[in-house]
Amino acid sequence: IRELIGEKDWARYFKISITRNPWDLVVSHFHYLVMNPSRRDALYKHLRWVIDPSKSDRDLFSEFVDRLLSSDFQYKIDENIYNFLIGDKIGVDYMIRYESLSNDYAVACKRIGVSSKSLPKLKAAHRKSIRYTDYYDERLIALIGSKHQRLVELFGYQFGD
């Protein structure tokens, strides 16, 4: 975008992006893609995976992570996760953390001089009210931590936050 609009406009625009705890993010993808029957065609298309309904959610999650990390499909899911970086540095003026979405959104609105509105809940029906930590064992914690090490380093994410 910076190249398209030029350095002058880039410097004067207020740029924001959003980030999310990577362990929570993967559970969110799991619920949206695996536990949502209307999305299962994409799972089969990209992962050649047919869901075994007799498996527990935790077993399905483990299989999802393994398949996801061993396929090109991970890039479709993760393609926007690092869009806030320019080179190796954060290239935006303000980062909204999903974990404090409403508050951070209000701060961003205040900084640009507009009133904030109440944010709607989207895709919430796809996710059960179980904490994301309940899906993980030590192996999966390490896999996702390693995969998204840069997010962990930049934002201090820890498993269980």
Side-chain angles (χ1 to χ4, degrees):
I1 295 175
R2 183 169 61 179
E3 291 174 9
L4 291 173
I5 65 172
E7 288 295 330
K8 183 178 175 185
D9 284 336
W10 179 261
R12 71 182 182 92
Y13 288 155
F14 180 69
K15 300 161 290 294
I16 63 172
S17 189
I18 189 166
T19 188
R20 187 174 187 177
N21 177 306
W23 293 279
D24 187 33
L25 179 64
V26 174
V27 171
S28 180
H29 286 314
F30 168 73
H31 276 278
Y32 186 65
L33 294 169
V34 177
M35 304 310 284
N36 178 355
S38 68
R39 301 277 178 219
R40 290 189 181 159
D41 286 346
L43 285 175
Y44 181 75
K45 178 181 176 187
H46 295 289
L47 300 178
R48 300 289 182 242
W49 186 25
V50 176
I51 305 300
D52 180 350
S54 69
K55 290 186 176 181
S56 71
D57 288 1
R58 197 162 187 236
D59 288 341
L60 287 172
F61 178 73
S62 180
E63 190 173 350
F64 172 72
V65 170
D66 289 338
R67 287 177 178 270
L68 184 66
L69 295 181
S70 67
S71 76
D72 290 335
F73 191 51
Q74 69 176 309
Y75 300 109
K76 290 185 185 346
I77 289 177
D78 292 343
E79 67 188 349
N80 294 321
I81 200 168
Y82 293 103
N83 277 355
F84 59 85
L85 292 177
I86 297 177
D88 199 35
K89 296 187 185 318
I90 294 175
V92 297
D93 302 307
Y94 185 69
M95 287 297 298
I96 293 174
R97 291 175 71 119
Y98 184 83
E99 300 77 26
S100 54
L101 180 62
S102 293
N103 287 339
D104 289 356
Y105 165 72
V107 169
C109 288
K110 186 175 182 174
R111 286 188 60 183
I112 61 172
V114 299
S115 60
S116 63
K117 307 258 189 263
S118 181
L119 296 173
K121 292 231 178 220
L122 302 173
K123 301 182 194 173
H126 300 295
R127 183 149 175 196
K128 297 177 182 177
S129 60
I130 301 168
R131 285 187 40 86
Y132 78 85
T133 55
D134 293 337
Y135 287 88
Y136 286 88
D137 57 25
E138 293 301 317
R139 181 183 74 84
L140 295 174
I141 293 168
L143 279 174
I144 298 305
S146 176
K147 165 79 173 120
H148 294 296
Q149 182 178 355
R150 189 69 179 126
L151 280 182
V152 171
E153 291 168 354
L154 286 169
F155 302 103
Y157 283 120
Q158 296 179 9
F159 182 78
D161 283 350

